[in-house]
Amino acid sequence: MTLKKNMHELEAQLNQLSAQEGLALIADLFPGKVTFSTSLGQEDQVITQLIADAHLPISIFSLDTGRLFPETLELLSRTEAKYKQQIKVYYPNTESVEKLVSEIGINGFYESVENRKSCCFVRKVEPLKRALAGNEVWVTGLRAEQSANRSDMKRIEWDEGNQILKFNPLLDWTFDEMIAYISEKSIPYNPLHDKGFISIGCAPCTRAIMEGEDARAGRWWWEDSKKECGLHAK
């Protein structure tokens, strides 16, 4: 049976399940080979709660770029304590960061999209590849509603760049559904969300959004781009 056919059948099955049921199925089908990347955003906090609540054998990791908000790092600590779940942290290669800064400057990412993507690659993409190594399924908090660039994603898809299956359990959740679930389950979240920061990344590259703006408008706001860092490139 081809990978394409397998994925089509798996997607049909996952579409009949809740997010937590889907996570359980994936963990059962790929024992010891499923990992979840959390940026500590609201979607990711929901998934962490789902994993911890059902005691699913899914490892969790996060990327510390070296430029995160203090509130994000504090949330990581609170999340581990609440759910008694270790979140393994991956860091960028020191030599690569030093080389990048020597070439473009400490904040050179403001000067061009090319510079910004170089920074994202060193601080996020390369560490992600290390984190995914040895796994078969990468769980993400992507939602179709987040941006036009994500609206055509599938619940389960093949990530060619990382050579891994990518599972998006919250793909069809709306923002309101997510917020209601966070409130219902008393899930810890970043206080910056209450100040208009909907999508939170590195501190120099994130601002609060204004009423009516796209949820990811606050990311790399000085650019006219697809607002992606390369982690979820298609």
Side-chain angles (χ1 to χ4, degrees):
M1 188 177 294
T2 65
L3 174 62
K4 185 175 181 180
K5 185 175 181 180
N6 274 322
M7 286 180 58
H8 179 74
E9 293 177 354
L10 181 56
E11 181 183 12
Q13 189 173 2
L14 289 169
N15 284 339
Q16 302 302 312
L17 303 176
S18 69
Q20 191 172 62
E21 290 169 340
L23 286 164
L25 174 63
I26 290 295
D28 184 60
L29 291 176
F30 302 90
K33 297 292 185 179
V34 183
T35 192
F36 165 50
S37 61
T38 176
S39 65
L40 288 302
Q42 290 165 310
E43 291 86 357
D44 294 338
Q45 290 298 94
V46 167
I47 295 176
T48 296
Q49 188 275 338
L50 293 173
I51 291 171
D53 179 66
H55 305 287
L56 299 177
I58 296 175
S59 63
I60 305 177
F61 72 89
S62 189
L63 306 178
D64 184 346
T65 65
R67 304 297 298 267
L68 299 179
F69 286 97
E71 291 90 341
T72 301
L73 298 176
E74 191 274 335
L75 178 59
L76 190 152
S77 179
R78 282 197 289 134
T79 302
E80 287 188 316
K82 180 177 177 68
Y83 297 115
K84 305 296 188 294
Q85 180 90 36
Q86 181 188 19
I87 299 175
K88 184 171 182 178
V89 180
Y90 287 82
Y91 299 89
N93 178 273
T94 301
E95 291 183 359
S96 297
V97 172
E98 290 175 350
K99 183 174 183 293
L100 174 75
V101 172
S102 71
E103 292 175 348
I104 71 170
I106 193 69
N107 288 333
F109 41 79
Y110 289 128
E111 298 174 6
S112 70
V113 174
E114 181 182 7
N115 281 2
R116 195 269 295 170
K117 288 186 175 181
S118 294
C119 187
C120 288
F121 182 85
V122 168
R123 295 182 184 276
K124 300 173 76 172
V125 178
E126 189 281 326
L128 174 72
K129 292 184 180 297
R130 281 189 274 120
L132 294 179
N135 290 285
E136 295 183 22
V137 181
W138 170 21
V139 179
T140 87
L142 297 179
R143 291 187 302 110
E145 190 185 66
Q146 287 170 328
S147 69
N149 195 46
R150 298 179 175 185
S151 62
D152 62 346
M153 288 183 170
K154 299 182 181 299
R155 196 173 304 277
I156 188 84
E157 54 190 1
W158 178 251
D159 187 292
E160 184 65 27
N162 292 295
Q163 294 290 294
I164 194 170
L165 284 172
K166 185 157 67 174
F167 175 44
N168 309 308
L170 304 186
L171 188 69
D172 59 353
W173 282 40
T174 67
F175 179 80
D176 290 341
E177 286 174 331
M178 176 184 69
I179 296 302
Y181 188 84
I182 287 172
S183 177
E184 176 191 346
K185 300 296 182 181
S186 299
I187 296 173
Y189 65 89
N190 196 320
L192 290 174
H193 289 306
D194 293 331
K195 299 178 181 180
F197 291 78
I198 304 304
S199 177
I200 301 173
C202 292
C205 299
T206 307
R207 66 159 172 80
I209 66 170
M210 293 179 285
E211 187 175 353
E213 281 191 306
D214 182 88
R216 290 179 65 79
R219 301 293 292 276
W220 313 292
W221 69 91
W222 64 92
E223 290 183 6
D224 180 17
S225 70
K226 291 184 178 181
K227 306 294 185 178
E228 297 288 354
C229 61
L231 296 185
H232 301 292
K234 298 186 70 177

